Amino acid sequence: MKIINARKTDAPLIARSIMDAVGEEICSGLSTNGHSLDDVERLFTSLALREDSQYSYLNTLTALDDSGKAVGVCVGYDGSRLHELREAFFEEAEKQLGIEMGDIDDETDSGEFYIDTLAVLPEYRGRGIASELLRASIRRAEAIGKPAGLLVDKENTRARRLYENIGFRKVGERPFCYVMMDHLHFQGS
């Protein structure tokens, strides 16, 4: 396995990973107004292809298996850039899906490197790929002098166990799309 900076060709995997991470309920909410989940996937793919989006391939690490196949991604960025990067999401959601998203609470802040999305293809899970993507993202956070932070659903014990095993600890709570999540920071293992 190898971790690399994502390429534009990874955009479809980034899009599916974002949809997997945010969950079916949120994706279904985005597919209102006569739109389908395929439309939501197109939205996230277009955002992954952009260079000015929080979901950009430029903010993403990709895990490759031994044959070079992209099998997982981790999207992360300096939290101080959230508002600037999120404008692309608001713009594209309105243009592509007819949804105005301006009332979403901030899921991060300027004091952290935010790990936004972590996902590994189902058939590759349990092989340590998510852990390696997290460790690589922690190194990115250290390079800019900020702690790595992320949100985890209060009910997602599997993800919480992974994060805690790496060295993340709860530092508070934050809303994500109107749902209160636990806010964790990397504090070392």
Side-chain angles (χ1 to χ4, degrees):
M1 182 195 50
K2 182 174 163 182
I3 307 292
I4 64 166
N5 291 324
R7 308 148 301 188
K8 283 188 172 186
T9 56
D10 296 323
L13 176 60
I14 295 167
R16 288 188 304 276
S17 297
I18 293 163
M19 292 176 70
D20 186 43
V22 300
E24 187 176 327
E25 183 178 342
I26 291 172
C27 289
S28 293
L30 291 172
S31 65
T32 58
N33 301 333
H35 294 283
S36 68
L37 288 176
D38 288 339
D39 295 324
V40 174
E41 186 172 343
R42 274 190 286 284
L43 165 70
F44 285 119
T45 300
S46 71
L47 291 168
L49 287 167
R50 290 179 64 150
E51 295 184 358
D52 63 345
S53 158
Q54 69 198 90
Y55 302 119
S56 173
Y57 72 97
L58 295 175
N59 296 326
T60 306
L61 297 172
T62 300
L64 304 177
D65 71 4
D66 293 337
S67 72
K69 176 182 178 184
V71 299
V73 299
C74 190
V75 179
Y77 48 87
D78 184 338
S80 68
R81 297 188 64 214
L82 174 65
H83 290 199
E84 159 199 346
L85 294 171
R86 195 165 57 183
E87 283 303 313
F89 176 66
F90 293 159
E91 175 187 307
E92 291 296 330
E94 187 167 357
K95 183 170 83 175
Q96 293 186 39
L97 303 177
I99 299 172
E100 188 171 316
M101 304 288 294
D103 66 341
I104 293 179
D105 290 315
D106 291 351
E107 65 260 34
T108 186
D109 61 42
S110 62
E112 70 183 4
F113 179 87
Y114 183 60
I115 298 174
D116 187 293
T117 303
L118 172 68
V120 175
L121 293 175
E123 63 270 27
Y124 287 86
R125 292 179 185 158
R127 299 182 190 184
I129 296 169
S131 296
E132 289 305 312
L133 283 164
L134 278 172
R135 286 185 185 97
S137 293
I138 291 165
R139 289 190 293 276
R140 290 174 69 201
E142 291 168 346
I144 66 167
K146 294 185 178 185
L150 53 80
L151 300 181
V152 63
D153 187 296
K154 293 176 177 293
E155 307 301 318
N156 191 341
T157 56
R158 185 171 180 231
R160 180 183 307 277
R161 188 169 42 253
L162 167 67
Y163 302 145
E164 289 175 349
N165 286 341
I166 295 290
F168 284 87
R169 301 292 176 259
K170 183 177 175 180
V171 294
E173 297 178 318
R174 283 187 190 255
F176 176 74
C177 288
Y178 315 108
V179 176
M180 194 57 69
M181 304 274 184
D182 285 339
H183 182 208
L184 283 64
H185 271 181
F186 177 71
Q187 297 179 355
S189 43

